[in-house]
Amino acid sequence: GDGGDPASTGDSLNLTADCLHYDPTAGVTTDTIKLGTSLPLTGALAIPGTFHFGLEAYLATVNAEGGVNGRKIELTVLDDGYDPAKTATNVNELVNRDKVFGIVGILGTATALAVQQDLQDNCVPNLFIQTGAPVVADPAQTWSQIQFPTYSLEAQALAQRAINAGVKSVSIISQNDAFGKAYVDALVSPLKDAGVTVGTQVTYDPGAPSVETQITQLAADGADAVFIAALGTKCPQILNGIKSSRWNPLLLSVNFCTSRGLLGLLEDGAGDDMIGTTWYKSPTDPQFAQDGALAAYREALAKYSPAADPDEDFVLDGWLVGQLLVDVLKSAETLDRASVMRAAHEANLHVDTMLDGVRFAAAGTTEPIGQVQLRRYDSASKTFLFIDPKSGDDLPAGKTSLIIRGTNPSADVREPSASGAPRPSDGKP
Amino acid sequence: MLALQLLVDGVGKGAIYAALALAIVVAHRSTGLINFAQGEFATLSAMLTVALTGLGLGVWPALAVAAAASFAAGALIQVVIVRPAMRRDLVPVVIMIGLYVCANAIGQLTFGQNPRPLEGLFPAGGLVFGGIRVQWSLIGVILLQAVVITALTLFFVRTKIGLGFRAVATAPEASRVAGIPVERMHMIGWGIAAALGAVAGVSLTNLGVYVESHMMTTVLVYSLAAVTIGGFDSALGAIVGGAIMGVVESLVTGLVPGVSGDVGILVSLTIIVLILLSRPQGLFGRERVARV
Amino acid sequence: MAGLNLLTGFTGQVSVGHSAFFGIGAYVTGVLIVHAGVPMTAAIIAGTLSGGIAGALFGIPSLRIKGTHLAIVTLVLAASLPAVLSTFSEITGGTEGLRVPRITPPRGSFLAADQTRYYVVLGALLLVVLGVFMLDRSRTGRALRALGDNEIAAVTYGVRPMRLRIGVFAASSTITALAGALFAVTSGFISSTTSYMTIVGSIVFLTALVIGGRALLAGPLAGAAIAELLPAQISRYSPEWANFAYGAILIALLLLAPGGISSLRFRRRRSHPAPHVLPAPLQQEETPHDTDDTRDQAQPTTRIG
Amino acid sequence: MLRVERLSLAFRGVQALRDVTFEVAAGGVTALIGPNGAGKTTMFNCISRILTPDSGALSLDGIDLIGVRASRLPELGVARTFQHAALFPSLDVRGNVRIGADVARHASRPALPVDETLELLRLSADASRSTEGLPLGTKKRVELARALASGPHLLLLDEPAGGLTHEEVGEMRDTLLAVKERLGLTILLVEHHVQMVMSMSSHVVVMSSGEVIADGAPSDVRSDPRVISAYLGS
Amino acid sequence: MPLVPLLDVDNLHARYGQARVLHGVSLTVSPGEVVVLLGANGAGKTTLLRAITGHVERTGSIKFAGTDITRASPAAIVSLGLVQVPEGRGTFADLTVQENLRLGAYTRRVTAAALALEISEIVERFPILGERAGQRAGLLSGGEQQMLAIGRALLARPRLLVLDEPSLGLAPTVTRAVFDTLRELHDEQGLSLLVVEQNADLSLGIADRAYVLEAGEIQVDGPAAAIRDDAGLRRAYLGY
Ligand SMILES: Nc1ncnc2c1ncn2[C@@H]1O[C@H](COP(=O)(O)OP(=O)(O)OP(=O)(O)O)[C@@H](O)[C@H]1O
Ligand SMILES: Nc1ncnc2c1ncn2[C@@H]1O[C@H](COP(=O)(O)OP(=O)(O)OP(=O)(O)O)[C@@H](O)[C@H]1O
Ligand SMILES: CC(C)C[C@H](N)C(=O)O
Ligand SMILES: [Mg+2]
Ligand SMILES: [Mg+2]
């Protein structure tokens, strides 16, 4: 069949105009909606890949309660081992063989890029891509949508913290790929604008066994702060290395370094006071120990994905994506691809696993989540404490102080409207 | 000063490459095969060591037990899987790729995805002289490797069985004629290599690497390169090859402006091509005999 | 589709680095189209040729470095490609990758886009297979095998190792680069993390070659199909076990049919133990990839009587 | 036809050739004999340019061979066999012989057609067999066939009769002599089968420890006391 | 002929994959006996020796010194004292001459000193091996390698030595020396021999008995002297 979508109703967005092929209701039957995803279940990025456990658990919960408008959601999960060619094969199979309605939660930048255009051409929804790389958030790609706050936002938030802390120089260690580069690009100019020297910049190969040479180079420079854009065990290696080099910079790290599993690998005292960001309720954060949303999450996970580690941030993220997805599907006018995609573009959602004040607000932007919270790692208690972006002081438990995209970050810090009293997560603003 | 510290870092890197390289050399010396799965075997051994320390064993005894278990597993795999495939040239290579994939999968299945640290074999901390830091663990690992090479060299060069291993690796047919039990030697050779893999895996954890299923993926490539530089049959060559790569890589990436750490592999490629062009058999390797 | 391998069989030397040439073919093609606006056909040709030239250049050290040593050098070469790509990420896109326009059907064609791609790739494959097949039966093919068996004796019978080695390296990398170029314009996206550009790619190529059995044309194709499709199928049902099963099946296949799949059907006299063509993963509708190859002399891993 | 002048070659510690001088006359059979390790095979390796002598001169029909690459020798009409049959196991028997024929075609010299060569050496039945696992005697014949198929002027034979029975030795000798006539060959023969040497060669050069110790007609050489003590025994 | 043979081969079949080469060969070697095996090119002589020493797929029965070795591994067979000198160069090309010789005694327990003494005895017989002691075996001349192979086999202290074309590549003087050595060992130490040798005059000269193999089957079996002296047999099977 070919494009026979009812022209978009008064919306500026004409989704189906350029479809090479448009099958509006593929994968939808009277009682099911088929969705698919491709992510690394094996290989070096298998931990982020555990994302799917949370997603599956949420969908199972919803299905048990009757599904979305009476339809159960079936999710097919394929392993791509973070190989873009494999992602392409998987997605091709999902769309052409399994006839899924849409793709949800492709994980990673290169993997997403490998399938983005194809899904665009065939007008298949490509929702909640698990990346924050600005390059994926391309306005021309109307059939896809990223989910993470962009890496630039995260980098700018950390840059802001460095500036507010009064550092004179910042060194950078980053992974030698798009992921690392996205952060570095976003970091450098705000720092320079604020008169902070950007010192030694080093990169490492994710496969290399050690990063000692890089640490030695950074330590020789001895900057006041260091920005760490790393993944996996490179994070503790870097932090341990910095500690034993007897250099004592302000540590600024990307969100991916701050999972509890990785921090558990640190040597005593390493990583102390490291600043990171977050935007959802980390399952290991003691201030959310009694949180109702997390309790529901843990309960469902134990029931539907017992193999998963409930303390893993990526698993919670999967759950969170499940919440967003169901909301989007429910808010779609009809269950056809264009309507769902349109609903995703119009979404303005807050779900209970997000921090207060964080919203998935897609209207008019390709970067739906625009808020992050800074936090500090306390190595003695092995926990994170939310901090005030300006002063760097710890915030009282339950309180957030978000950094919001789009405005000069140094000025634009606002107290969230509510704390402790989550707003209902509804589909319409 | 910076250069000296980078040198020490390079030696550390080299020790990582050398650890696995030693196991590769032993397997080659006794069976004539390059075992592509050696790295994954070492990973499994390291995982086993972690599991054993989890049971309350000290790290040294755990290593000893893991090495013994690895010996048995290596020998068993040789008998059951590798031996039947030895006859045709490329088949063993792919068999070993199969082993690689399986071993990696077993690691993921049994150990899970979460990296884990292993308690050090050597005291924490290190020496500082003139501002240069040297970790005790690096010194310890290098001493451990020195012991291993000495033992291996004595074994291969001085003992009758060692001579038998060399014979079997280079000329299995002639070995049979001379009454050397070729199959058993291959089996033992793989066992020893696997046991050394356990030592390699645990050495790595002492050099800052965490135990996880892909800990050896890249190390294997570097170790193979180290073995190539040193010569496939020389334990000393493995160490020297590893050290050359580690040190040159560290100095080049640390001191040459514009060359950053992520292109270490290119530096290694250049080194090995240059070395092999002048000595095609590797620094400590012997050329194969060919005459008509 | 498939790429091909000349060398393994002919000259017996294993190159585990052909993903590098695959990558060169793919990137030269992709970069020319994207950044220089070169027409697709010209870009494919340029990509293919540059792979060949790179192969020839790399063939020069191979004159001196042989056997397992060369195999490992090619392995390290393969491992270096991603680093090179990310070093020049301005034009290559690095891990972010490069989106390449894909082959589209000519105006008025009755074929759908993916069918067009499929037939283009299939056509190229057939040409290459034919070429390799003819080479194998030619004087050059004989010379290559002789060189692989016994260099000294071959030289005595007029075989010129230098020319042949470089030539064969160039030819095999040209074919591999062609596969890369076609991959770029059929898959539409290339990135330094794409497995065919990494060592994994080299391994897949080699595996396809061996499981298929080198001796027969059909073998490598079947091998490619199995190496590629089997894991995908298992992965669907049990992703965690897929890799294990893949490795185990690989081992089992080789133990049961050491001559490759093709040997299960045909019992060939041992007169042609060596081979040639090589395969590549056969993937879903369109995509091509691959190849590998190898060559040269004597026991790649050693063994001398 | 072939002149060897004061050729010397030392390997580490072993003087394999020392001032070796002799000539091979066109159209004849010259035998090169001597004790084990005398340097006969080494001499062959120098002529076929696998080895380069340390000093001395080598010329073929006036062409200086020292400057010629090994792979060009077949074009000049030099073919050889190897003491330990050096066949190509990845080719069948016919393929091995065709390698020789490829050279002949290239040099556009008259040569025996492949099939005829196979026939002549009783290899037709084994033509499509792998050379691996051939009996020793058969390997020797394949070696010879490969060399003959290349249409040589000068044929260097390194122990062609090794491992053959009496009958087979005689047969090989007859074959060689017949082909020699037909193609106008010159033969340089290394062989320990004294009977074969004496019965087919026109000229014998005897080497020992890298040096020529006798050079002359078979009957003279045979009775030379130095040859008897170094090689033939009583 | 004593009642209990040292080697007793009965109805032996051997094949390489699909190719059957031996079709029910029976043969014996008594203690202290020298037996020669003759036959044309391709008759299966090498195959027979390799089958006896465990290097080829085989069925039937092979007993050595009372032990059934039909299924024994080559290594086990060597340690029983049944040692082979293979056809062609069976040396360890990459190891030195000295190491090759040491490997000859691999299956025996001897002290280093005793082994050194034995090696020096071998070197006395083949002085060139002494001169080339440190050279790698693959670089030796053809004849030198053959001497090395024989020397190495002797160091295994065999009870039955099986030789496949021992004179291959040897100069006439050396061939004679080898046969003299064999006879000497036979006479002094009661070494038994099973020899495949194309030089029929020479081999029949030292042999007690001979077998003629043709197309994988034994055609003639008898005292060596009888075969040598029977012109008809000679012409039919030996070609002269
Ligand atoms: N590449 C080499 N390195 C060292 N020594 C060598 C080499 N090649 C030959 N030799 C030595 O040179 C001498 C001559 O060897 P060559 O093979 O020419 O002898 P030959 O006359 O052919 O003997 P045979 O009749 O036994 O074949 C031998 O002593 C041998 O050990
Ligand atoms: N490895 C092998 N594979 C296949 N066939 C083989 C193999 N070895 C020997 N044969 C075959 O077995 C038969 C007997 O060969 P064998 O080598 O035993 O003969 P032989 O009597 O020793 O001959 P020669 O005197 O020439 O050495 C021959 O037809 C040969 O082709
Ligand atoms: C950890 C992953 C979710 C990030 C990924 N490497 C990316 O490219 O965005
Ligand atoms: Mg010789
Ligand atoms: Mg024989």
Side-chain angles (χ1 to χ4, degrees):
Chain A
D2 56 350
D5 171 53
S8 37
T9 47
D11 205 324
S12 60
L13 208 57
N14 187 345
L15 285 166
T16 53
D18 295 325
C19 295
L20 292 179
H21 174 98
Y22 178 58
D23 185 351
T25 55
V28 180
T29 66
T30 49
D31 51 6
T32 57
I33 306 171
K34 275 198 200 171
L35 296 172
T37 188
S38 172
L39 29 69
L41 301 173
T42 56
L45 287 180
I47 294 185
T50 56
F51 163 88
H52 74 98
F53 285 122
L55 178 56
E56 286 169 320
Y58 187 77
L59 296 179
T61 310
V62 169
N63 287 344
E65 289 162 2
V68 176
N69 303 337
R71 294 182 175 88
K72 299 216 152 78
I73 302 180
E74 285 176 11
L75 178 72
T76 306
V77 179
L78 297 182
D79 176 24
D80 59 32
Y82 203 68
D83 169 8
K86 200 70 210 304
T87 314
T89 312
N90 285 349
V91 166
N92 183 17
E93 230 175 85
L94 289 169
V95 172
N96 294 322
R97 197 174 105 184
D98 296 295
K99 305 271 183 234
V100 297
F101 177 75
I103 304 288
V104 52
I106 296 278
L107 193 144
T109 307
T111 42
L113 289 169
V115 297
Q116 198 177 23
Q117 185 64 45
D118 232 16
L119 292 172
Q120 174 77 18
D121 290 344
N122 290 291
C123 295
V124 178
N126 180 8
L127 300 170
F128 307 116
I129 302 172
Q130 296 297 292
T131 178
V135 57
V136 185
D138 174 357
Q141 296 287 334
T142 50
W143 284 85
S144 57
Q145 199 171 46
I146 66 166
Q147 187 234 351
F148 291 178
T150 56
Y151 299 152
S152 353
L153 172 60
E154 203 185 336
Q156 282 158 10
L158 292 165
Q160 192 50 47
R161 178 69 212 112
I163 293 162
N164 290 346
V167 304
K168 305 261 170 313
S169 58
V170 178
S171 314
I172 304 174
I173 177 165
S174 61
Q175 186 160 304
N176 69 332
D177 58 8
F179 164 79
K181 213 169 141 284
Y183 283 105
V184 175
D185 289 349
L187 189 69
V188 172
S189 61
L191 288 176
K192 286 200 171 145
D193 291 349
V196 176
T197 315
V198 176
T200 309
Q201 297 188 35
V202 295
T203 56
Y204 67 86
D205 184 83
S210 73
V211 289
E212 283 174 28
T213 311
Q214 285 89 337
I215 302 297
T216 298
Q217 284 175 267
L218 295 179
D221 184 26
D224 296 345
V226 60
F227 179 80
I228 302 165
L231 282 174
T233 45
K234 285 294 171 298
C235 300
Q237 283 188 349
I238 291 167
L239 293 168
N240 288 339
I242 290 174
K243 161 119 189 312
S244 68
S245 73
R246 301 179 309 159
W247 165 45
N248 201 5
L250 170 66
L251 303 168
L252 304 163
S253 135
V254 304
N255 160 34
F256 299 110
C257 274
T258 57
S259 90
R260 197 187 62 155
L262 294 175
L263 296 167
L265 301 174
L266 288 175
E267 285 164 11
D268 284 345
D272 195 29
D273 275 343
M274 173 172 72
I275 311 288
T277 67
T278 187
W279 48 276
Y280 51 81
K281 297 173 179 171
S282 200
T284 53
D285 190 336
Q287 62 180 304
F288 301 117
Q290 308 303 323
D291 188 83
L294 291 188
Y297 152 77
R298 285 179 195 277
E299 193 187 317
L301 202 66
K303 188 161 165 202
Y304 297 113
S305 297
D309 174 5
D311 288 345
E312 176 54 63
D313 284 6
F314 287 107
V315 179
L316 176 78
D317 181 42
W319 173 274
L320 187 157
V321 165
Q323 295 179 305
L324 294 174
L325 171 70
V326 168
D327 284 351
V328 164
L329 289 174
K330 282 186 176 158
S331 65
E333 245 165 75
T334 51
L335 261 183
D336 62 74
R337 284 173 167 172
S339 301
V340 166
M341 203 59 226
R342 203 166 297 115
H345 285 302
E346 287 161 5
N348 184 357
L349 302 168
H350 173 86
V351 296
D352 59 7
T353 42
M354 288 175 169
L355 294 182
D356 296 335
V358 173
R359 299 196 71 79
F360 186 89
T365 178
T366 53
E367 302 172 5
I369 295 184
Q371 307 88 10
V372 292
Q373 169 65 46
L374 290 180
R375 54 183 183 169
R376 169 179 83 80
Y377 178 64
D378 181 65
S379 71
S381 62
K382 297 198 184 301
T383 54
F384 278 99
L385 300 164
F386 288 179
I387 59 169
D388 180 274
K390 276 200 187 116
S391 65
D393 296 340
D394 295 346
L395 294 171
K399 201 127 163 70
T400 54
S401 177
L402 300 171
I403 291 187
I404 299 174
R405 181 195 62 232
T407 39
N408 178 356
S410 60
D412 192 38
V413 173
R414 71 162 193 200
E415 299 296 316
S417 54
S419 60
R423 300 209 304 187
S425 64
D426 54 17
K428 305 261 184 273
Chain B
M1 172 72 175
L2 171 61
L4 277 179
Q5 183 66 53
L6 287 170
L7 186 85
V8 173
D9 295 342
V11 170
K13 247 184 221 177
I16 290 180
Y17 307 152
L20 185 60
L22 273 177
I24 294 171
V25 163
V26 168
H28 185 263
R29 248 192 139 154
S30 44
T31 60
L33 295 176
I34 298 288
N35 183 1
F36 289 108
Q38 200 78 60
E40 298 310 298
F41 287 3
T43 304
L44 290 182
S45 303
M47 289 173 170
L48 179 62
T49 315
V50 170
L52 290 167
T53 56
L55 296 177
L57 229 53
V59 59
W60 281 101
L63 171 58
V65 174
S70 305
F71 178 94
L76 184 72
I77 288 172
Q78 202 283 330
V79 172
V80 177
I81 296 174
V82 182
R83 181 179 302 171
M86 283 287 279
R87 301 224 138 250
R88 279 151 176 259
D89 48 350
L90 273 180
V91 170
V93 175
V94 177
I95 287 276
M96 286 184 290
I97 291 171
L99 285 174
Y100 174 104
V101 175
C102 281
N104 183 280
I106 292 171
Q108 295 198 12
L109 284 163
T110 57
F111 191 81
Q113 305 292 359
N114 285 317
R116 276 181 250 174
L118 183 62
E119 191 189 320
L121 291 170
F122 309 102
L127 279 178
V128 181
F129 36 81
I132 309 298
R133 282 166 292 116
V134 187
Q135 302 282 352
W136 288 119
S137 52
L138 174 58
I139 298 174
V141 168
I142 289 175
L143 286 178
L144 183 63
Q145 291 180 348
V147 170
V148 171
I149 323 178
T150 314
L152 286 177
T153 309
L154 287 178
F155 176 70
F156 278 119
V157 177
R158 292 290 162 77
T159 69
K160 180 167 109 175
I161 301 185
L163 178 59
F165 272 116
R166 284 193 282 150
V168 162
T170 54
E173 277 312 312
S175 302
R176 282 196 186 93
V177 170
I180 307 174
V182 176
E183 278 71 27
R184 197 180 319 154
M185 304 293 275
H186 282 165
M187 177 183 95
I188 296 172
W190 268 60
I192 298 177
L196 277 179
V199 177
V202 172
S203 296
L204 256 64
T205 64
N206 281 271
L207 297 169
V209 175
Y210 292 98
V211 180
E212 52 188 328
S213 64
H214 51 92
M215 65 188 279
M216 292 286 184
T217 318
T218 312
V219 176
L220 175 72
V221 176
Y222 282 95
S223 296
L224 286 170
V227 173
T228 312
I229 290 177
F232 289 114
D233 291 327
S234 167
L236 181 61
I239 304 283
V240 175
I244 291 178
M245 279 189 2
V247 168
V248 176
E249 197 188 306
S250 177
L251 292 180
V252 169
T253 59
L255 295 177
V256 180
V259 179
S260 64
D262 57 338
V263 297
I265 189 80
L266 282 177
V267 176
S268 303
L269 177 67
T270 317
I271 304 171
I272 72 173
V273 171
L274 288 181
I275 289 185
L276 292 185
L277 282 180
S278 53
R279 259 189 88 80
Q281 71 275 36
L283 290 177
F284 294 82
R286 285 217 277 182
E287 224 164 338
R288 300 305 300 255
V289 163
R291 69 156 288 189
V292 288
Chain C
M1 110 107 181
L4 299 213
N5 162 20
L6 281 179
L7 312 176
T8 298
F10 283 135
T11 42
Q13 186 149 1
V14 182
S15 152
V16 258
H18 267 60
S19 58
F21 302 115
F22 185 91
I24 290 171
Y27 270 94
V28 171
T29 306
V31 166
L32 285 179
I33 297 175
V34 174
H35 295 296
V38 174
M40 186 177 293
T41 316
I44 292 174
I45 293 172
T48 307
L49 291 182
S50 44
I53 293 167
L57 289 179
F58 202 76
I60 294 172
S62 87
L63 295 174
R64 238 173 110 64
I65 306 170
K66 286 178 198 151
T68 316
H69 286 87
L70 183 60
I72 307 284
V73 175
T74 63
L75 184 79
V76 180
L77 175 75
S80 307
L81 180 74
V84 175
L85 293 176
S86 62
T87 305
F88 298 101
S89 56
E90 304 293 305
I91 51 169
T92 62
T95 50
E96 238 171 62
L98 193 64
R99 206 173 267 155
V100 184
R102 308 212 278 182
I103 296 178
T104 46
R107 217 163 271 290
S109 158
F110 56 90
L111 290 174
D114 53 355
Q115 282 173 316
T116 314
R117 286 172 211 138
Y118 177 80
Y119 286 114
V120 167
V121 170
L122 187 69
L125 170 64
L126 288 178
L127 277 181
V128 170
V129 168
L130 190 70
V132 173
F133 186 72
M134 278 167 34
L135 177 63
D136 184 30
R137 327 208 96 209
S138 74
R139 193 181 137 193
T140 312
R142 264 197 300 282
L144 279 169
R145 289 181 182 214
L147 185 63
D149 285 342
N150 187 328
E151 177 164 351
I152 295 179
V155 169
T156 306
Y157 281 91
V159 173
R160 293 179 194 174
M162 187 142 80
R163 261 177 31 180
L164 272 185
R165 284 232 168 80
I166 294 180
V168 116
F169 232 98
S172 102
S173 46
T174 303
I175 296 170
T176 314
L178 171 64
L182 291 174
F183 175 78
V185 296
T186 51
S187 84
F189 180 78
I190 49 180
S191 145
S192 64
T193 54
T194 300
S195 66
Y196 300 117
M197 316 282 174
T198 65
I199 299 184
V200 177
S202 286
I203 289 176
V204 170
F205 303 156
L206 187 67
T207 306
L209 170 71
V210 174
I211 354 185
R214 290 171 291 160
L216 292 174
L217 228 64
L221 291 176
I226 290 190
E228 197 73 354
L229 294 178
L230 197 68
Q233 288 321 301
I234 301 171
S235 175
R236 262 188 118 79
Y237 301 109
S238 163
E240 279 82 6
W241 280 90
N243 284 348
F244 179 78
Y246 174 51
I249 289 174
L250 203 59
I251 292 171
L253 265 179
L254 287 176
L255 292 183
L256 297 177
I261 311 267
S262 52
S263 73
L264 285 177
R265 277 196 302 136
F266 307 86
R267 282 250 161 235
R268 256 235 169 161
R269 251 169 314 166
R270 292 215 46 221
S271 53
H272 278 268
H276 45 298
V277 186
L278 158 336
L282 224 190
Q283 181 166 295
Q284 284 297 97
E285 40 151 21
E286 31 193 331
T287 340
H289 339 113
D290 143 93
T291 287
D292 127 291
D293 80 37
T294 61
R295 47 142 329 117
D296 185 318
Q297 134 91 114
Q299 6 318 107
T301 16
T302 329
R303 265 165 215 185
I304 272 193
Chain D
M1 174 182 215
L2 177 74
R3 286 172 68 96
V4 177
E5 268 173 287
R6 301 185 54 90
L7 215 62
S8 294
L9 175 60
F11 298 109
R12 238 183 311 164
V14 182
Q15 188 71 40
L17 299 175
R18 181 176 293 139
D19 286 339
V20 177
T21 302
F22 65 90
E23 270 184 42
V24 175
V29 176
T30 301
L32 182 59
I33 62 173
N36 297 122
K40 305 178 294 293
T41 300
T42 304
M43 187 66 236
F44 268 26
N45 288 345
C46 287
I47 300 172
S48 53
R49 305 296 302 104
I50 292 168
L51 293 174
T52 296
D54 298 336
S55 62
L58 261 179
S59 64
L60 179 72
D61 292 328
I63 303 169
D64 173 22
L65 286 186
I66 305 275
V68 175
R69 262 186 291 138
S71 56
R72 290 214 39 232
L73 276 185
E75 289 167 31
L76 297 176
V78 180
R80 76 172 279 188
T81 66
F82 296 88
Q83 181 168 4
H84 303 282
L87 298 171
F88 305 121
S90 57
L91 296 168
D92 58 10
V93 168
R94 182 192 303 276
N96 272 272
V97 177
R98 286 185 69 176
I99 289 270
D102 289 340
V103 170
R105 203 174 48 189
H106 187 70
S108 63
R109 258 181 289 106
L112 291 180
V114 170
D115 287 324
E116 200 177 320
T117 314
L118 289 169
E119 188 73 32
L120 188 71
L121 289 162
R122 292 191 289 107
L123 290 168
S124 306
D126 290 328
S128 53
R129 280 191 54 174
S130 160
T131 59
E132 229 164 7
L134 286 180
L136 190 65
T138 314
K139 281 188 176 156
K140 290 276 173 189
R141 281 184 277 126
V142 179
E143 277 261 326
L144 182 58
R146 181 175 64 183
L148 288 177
S150 74
H153 293 315
L154 175 63
L155 182 59
L156 309 175
L157 300 174
D158 200 348
E159 301 199 21
L164 302 191
T165 63
H166 265 285
E167 189 179 17
E168 289 159 353
V169 171
E171 202 183 318
M172 172 157 298
R173 183 192 52 210
D174 297 344
T175 309
L176 278 175
L177 290 174
V179 178
K180 177 172 103 64
E181 286 316 310
R182 187 162 150 198
L183 299 179
L185 277 182
T186 304
I187 295 178
L188 179 58
L189 171 72
V190 167
E191 184 49 70
H192 290 299
H193 198 287
V194 177
Q195 219 179 316
M196 174 171 175
V197 168
M198 295 303 168
S199 66
M200 72 182 282
S201 40
S202 42
H203 170 201
V204 179
V205 178
V206 188
M207 286 177 66
S208 178
S209 304
E211 289 177 282
V212 174
I213 57 168
D215 185 341
S219 51
D220 300 344
V221 164
R222 182 167 220 164
S223 51
D224 184 323
R226 286 178 70 192
V227 176
I228 292 174
S229 81
Y231 182 63
L232 297 172
S234 39
Chain E
M1 206 195 298
L3 282 175
V4 188
L6 180 62
L7 176 72
D8 187 352
V9 176
D10 190 36
N11 192 27
L12 183 68
H13 294 257
R15 55 185 193 145
Y16 297 98
Q18 302 293 312
R20 296 169 188 287
V21 176
L22 300 181
H23 317 282
V25 171
S26 299
L27 158 160
T28 59
V29 181
S30 302
E33 206 182 13
V34 178
V35 173
V36 62
L37 181 62
L38 301 168
N41 167 229
K45 307 178 294 294
T46 297
T47 306
L48 175 53
L49 298 194
R50 285 167 49 81
I52 292 171
T53 48
H55 295 271
V56 204
E57 240 183 283
R58 59 211 185 267
T59 55
S61 144
I62 309 171
K63 289 204 188 70
F64 180 69
T67 313
D68 185 346
I69 56 165
T70 320
R71 268 168 240 301
S73 71
I77 293 174
V78 172
S79 33
L80 289 172
L82 173 47
V83 179
Q84 186 195 7
V85 177
E87 179 181 88
R89 23 180 191 184
T91 52
F92 299 100
D94 286 306
L95 303 181
T96 63
V97 169
Q98 177 78 27
E99 288 167 335
N100 268 268
L101 291 171
R102 272 166 55 199
L103 283 166
Y106 191 84
T107 53
R108 296 165 50 212
R109 289 173 177 277
V110 269
T111 63
L115 182 57
L117 194 68
E118 288 181 32
I119 289 180
S120 68
E121 282 168 18
I122 296 293
V123 166
E124 252 169 63
R125 293 184 196 279
F126 304 113
I128 190 77
L129 298 183
E131 288 168 35
R132 301 275 182 272
Q135 177 161 325
R136 292 207 272 165
L139 297 175
L140 295 178
S141 84
E144 289 163 352
Q145 291 195 35
Q146 186 70 4
M147 291 179 229
L148 177 58
I150 295 170
R152 194 184 70 200
L154 291 175
L155 282 163
R157 283 285 151 91
R159 293 166 73 186
L160 172 61
L161 183 61
V162 169
L163 297 127
D164 198 350
E165 317 247 12
S167 77
L168 188 68
L170 294 182
T173 42
V174 181
T175 305
R176 231 159 286 145
V178 165
F179 277 79
D180 288 348
T181 299
L182 294 177
R183 164 168 287 157
E184 202 179 299
L185 292 172
H186 168 257
D187 294 348
E188 289 168 12
Q189 300 172 10
L191 174 69
S192 310
L193 296 168
L194 174 58
V195 188
V196 165
E197 176 55 62
Q198 301 296 15
N199 188 335
D201 268 342
L202 199 59
S203 51
L204 289 171
I206 70 161
D208 300 315
R209 274 187 316 118
Y211 290 90
V212 177
L213 191 66
E214 203 179 75
E217 287 173 64
I218 300 282
Q219 291 296 336
V220 178
D221 162 10
I227 293 184
R228 193 173 40 179
D229 298 340
D230 183 326
L233 276 183
R234 267 199 354 226
R235 206 163 304 114
Y237 296 108
L238 309 180
Y240 69 103

